[in-house]
Amino acid sequence: MTGRPEVDAQSTVGQAAGRGHVLAWGLWDWGSSAFNAVILTFVFSVYLTDKVGDDLPGGVSSSAWLGWALGLAGFVVALTAPISGQRFDASAKRKGSLGVLTALTILSMALMFFVHDDYRYFWLGLVLLGFGSAFFELAGVPYNAMLRQVSTPDDVGRISGFGWAMGYFGGIFILLISYFGFISGHGDNRGLLGVPIDDGTNIRLVAMLAAVWFAVFALPVLLAVPELPRTNADPGAAKAGFFGSYRVLVRDLRELWAVDRRTVSFLIASAIFRDGLAGVFTFGAILAVRVYGIADSDVLLFGIAANVVAALGAITAGRFDDRVGPKIVIVTSLIAMVICGIALLLVSGPVMFWIFGLLLTIFVGPAQSASRSFLTRLAPPGREGQMFGLYTTTGRAVSFLAPALFGFFVWAFDTDRAGIVGILVVLALGLAALLPVRGPERTAA
C-alpha cells in the first residue's frame, strides 16, 4: 500500500474531462480495434485455422480447438473480471493495470509473428490467441471505468459514443491497410508491398503491424490521463487477498441490491441484448453470402460500410443520450433493430440486404455506447472498475444465447434465413428485461 491519502470518491468524477484527455482515451479504442478486427476476427484466426492447422493430426478440427481455447479464455475472464476491476479501483492502480494488460495483449500479438505455416506451430498460435483474448478483455475493464474520469454527467453519452466510433473507424483503417498492403491480389507476392506468402509471411507481418498499431495508439491515454487517486469508496477491498476479494464483492453486491437493485437488473438486461448486438456482426457476413447472394468479394465492403454507419450512429446517439437519457436510446435502438430484422426476413437479394442490413447496423453503435454510459451513470463513484468487471462477467455468462438460438432456428427450419429469428429473439428478450429498469437520473454523478 502507498502512503497517499484517501480522497472522496465523488472528486474523481470528471477529473480528466479536458479535450486532450478525451482524445487520448478514445485513441486507445482506435488502437485496440486492431486486436478485434485483425487478430480475432478477419485475419490471424483465419490463418491459424485454415493454413497452420489445415493438416493438424488427430480427429479434432483446428476450428474446434480455437473455439475451446477462446471459450477457456472467456471463462477465466468471467471469473476474474469483477475482482480485478475491484482491486484496480481500491489500490488506485486503474491506469497502471490498463498499461500492464495492454502491454501483455500487444506482446501476445507480436509473438504471433513466430507462428509459421506448419501445424507444429498451431499450438503456439492457439496459446497466444487465448492469452491475448483474455488480456484484451480484462484491459477493457479499467478502460471502460476511466469513462467516469474523462467525462461529466452532462457529456458522458457523447464521450462514450466518441470512444465507440473511434473503435469502429480504427478497425476499418487497420483492415484496409492490412488488406491492400499485405493480402490483396494473387500469386506468390501479395498486396501493394509485394510481401511473399510463403510460410505465411504476409499474415505474420500483419500480426506484427497490428501489435505496433495498438502500441502507438495506446500510449496517449497512459501518458495523458492521471492515475485514479485512492478513494474511500470500497473499504477493505485493497487489503483483501484473492479469495477475500470475492467476499468483498458479495458484500458490495448485497449492499447494491439493498440500496439500488436496478444496477443488478441492468447488468442482466444489458448482458442479454449485448449478446444480440454481437450476433448481428458475428453472423452478418454468413447471412449476406448464403441467404442474400452478396458476392464473397463484396462482404468486406459491406463490413466496412456497416462499421461506418454504426460509428456515425454512436456519435449521433451520444447527444441524445445526454439530453433524454441512455435508456431511451437503447430502447429505441433495440425496437428499430427488431423492425429491420423482421424486414430482412421478408426480403431477398443483395440490394435489399444492403438497405435493411445497414439500417439495422446504424442502431448497433448507439445501443453499445448508451449501455456503457448507462452503467457509468449508475456506478457508485470510485467503484466503476468493479461494476465494469461485472459488466464483462454477465456478458460472458450469456454469450451462448445468440449463437445457440441462431443455430437452433437454422436447424429447426432447415434454412439459414431462419437464423435471423434467433438473433431477434435475443434482442427482444434484452428489451423486455430492460423496460422495467428505471433509467439513471440525469443529474447523477
Side-chain angles (χ1 to χ4, degrees):
M1 294 297 294
T2 66
R4 287 179 291 171
E6 291 183 347
V7 302
D8 181 67
Q10 190 67 36
S11 66
T12 64
V13 178
Q15 67 161 188
R19 290 187 177 181
H21 295 127
V22 172
L23 177 60
W25 179 79
L27 284 173
W28 190 92
D29 235 333
W30 174 283
S32 69
S33 61
F35 183 83
N36 264 333
V38 174
I39 301 299
L40 199 58
T41 305
F42 292 110
V43 182
F44 184 79
S45 62
V46 176
Y47 164 72
L48 186 65
T49 55
D50 290 358
K51 300 296 184 182
V52 181
D54 63 343
D55 54 353
L56 190 68
V60 180
S61 71
S62 57
S63 297
W65 280 115
L66 176 64
W68 292 341
L70 294 179
L72 179 60
F75 179 70
V76 172
V77 169
L79 286 180
T80 58
I83 62 167
S84 297
Q86 172 184 290
R87 294 181 68 84
F88 300 160
D89 291 345
S91 61
K93 294 179 180 177
R94 181 183 292 172
K95 186 177 77 169
S97 301
L98 175 63
V100 170
L101 290 167
T102 298
L104 289 172
T105 306
I106 292 169
L107 178 62
S108 299
M109 296 165 71
L111 290 175
M112 291 175 186
F113 175 78
F114 299 100
V115 180
H116 298 273
D117 188 2
D118 185 312
Y119 76 85
R120 288 171 294 184
Y121 290 89
F122 177 77
W123 307 110
L124 173 62
L126 202 66
V127 169
L128 292 174
L129 203 54
F131 274 101
S133 177
F135 293 140
F136 178 73
E137 285 202 57
L138 288 174
V141 173
Y143 174 75
N144 286 330
M146 292 175 77
L147 175 59
R148 185 51 94 41
Q149 292 171 258
V150 299
S151 66
T152 68
D154 291 330
D155 63 10
V156 61
R158 278 174 286 173
I159 303 305
S160 181
F162 169 73
W164 272 109
M166 289 289 280
Y168 283 126
F169 284 129
I172 294 168
F173 270 83
I174 187 62
L175 275 178
L176 289 175
I177 293 171
S178 301
Y179 179 74
F180 289 109
F182 299 83
I183 300 174
S184 64
H186 303 281
D188 294 333
N189 297 282
R190 301 290 176 87
L192 297 175
L193 299 178
V195 183
I197 64 172
D198 181 55
D199 199 27
T201 302
N202 62 329
I203 304 301
R204 291 159 50 213
L205 285 174
V206 166
M208 183 63 73
L209 170 67
V212 173
W213 176 279
F214 193 179
V216 169
F217 291 108
L219 280 176
V221 70
L222 301 176
L223 297 175
V225 179
E227 181 61 275
L228 177 79
R230 285 187 58 205
T231 73
N232 54 7
D234 204 5
K239 297 180 180 179
F242 180 80
F243 294 105
S245 294
Y246 285 100
R247 288 192 290 270
V248 173
L249 178 65
V250 171
R251 180 202 69 190
D252 290 346
L253 286 175
R254 287 176 176 171
E255 176 187 306
L256 199 64
W257 182 258
V259 174
D260 189 2
R261 62 186 60 183
R262 64 178 166 168
T263 302
V264 179
S265 300
F266 174 72
L267 286 169
I268 296 171
S270 73
I272 298 172
F273 70 70
R274 282 185 290 129
D275 189 50
L277 299 177
V280 171
F281 280 103
T282 301
F283 299 106
I286 298 173
L287 293 170
V289 174
R290 296 177 63 87
V291 176
Y292 297 94
I294 299 287
D296 290 349
S297 57
D298 290 338
V299 170
L300 180 61
L301 294 177
F302 179 82
I304 292 171
N307 276 273
V308 169
V309 298
L312 295 177
I315 293 174
T316 304
R319 298 187 175 275
F320 289 98
D321 182 328
D322 292 326
R323 292 175 184 173
V324 301
K327 179 179 177 179
I328 294 178
V329 173
I330 299 172
V331 169
T332 302
S333 298
L334 294 178
I335 292 175
M337 292 178 70
V338 170
I339 293 173
C340 292
I342 293 173
L344 281 171
L345 280 171
L346 304 175
V347 301
S348 297
V351 174
M352 290 294 100
F353 181 79
W354 273 90
I355 293 172
F356 288 103
L358 290 181
L359 280 175
L360 189 149
T361 53
I362 284 176
F363 296 99
V364 174
Q368 290 174 321
S369 172
S371 180
R372 179 163 64 182
S373 74
F374 194 119
L375 184 58
T376 299
R377 295 178 192 271
L378 287 184
R383 284 169 51 189
E384 296 87 358
Q386 183 188 65
M387 292 299 102
F388 276 105
L390 288 167
Y391 189 74
T392 299
T393 293
T394 52
R396 272 288 176 182
V398 302
S399 61
F400 66 92
L401 273 177
L405 287 178
F406 180 90
F408 171 77
F409 279 96
V410 169
W411 168 79
F413 292 91
D414 196 25
T415 173
D416 288 341
R417 182 187 292 265
I420 298 173
V421 178
I423 297 175
L424 295 182
V425 168
V426 177
L427 293 174
L429 287 173
L431 174 62
L434 178 65
L435 287 175
V437 181
R438 179 167 53 92
E441 290 77 12
R442 287 279 321 285
T443 57

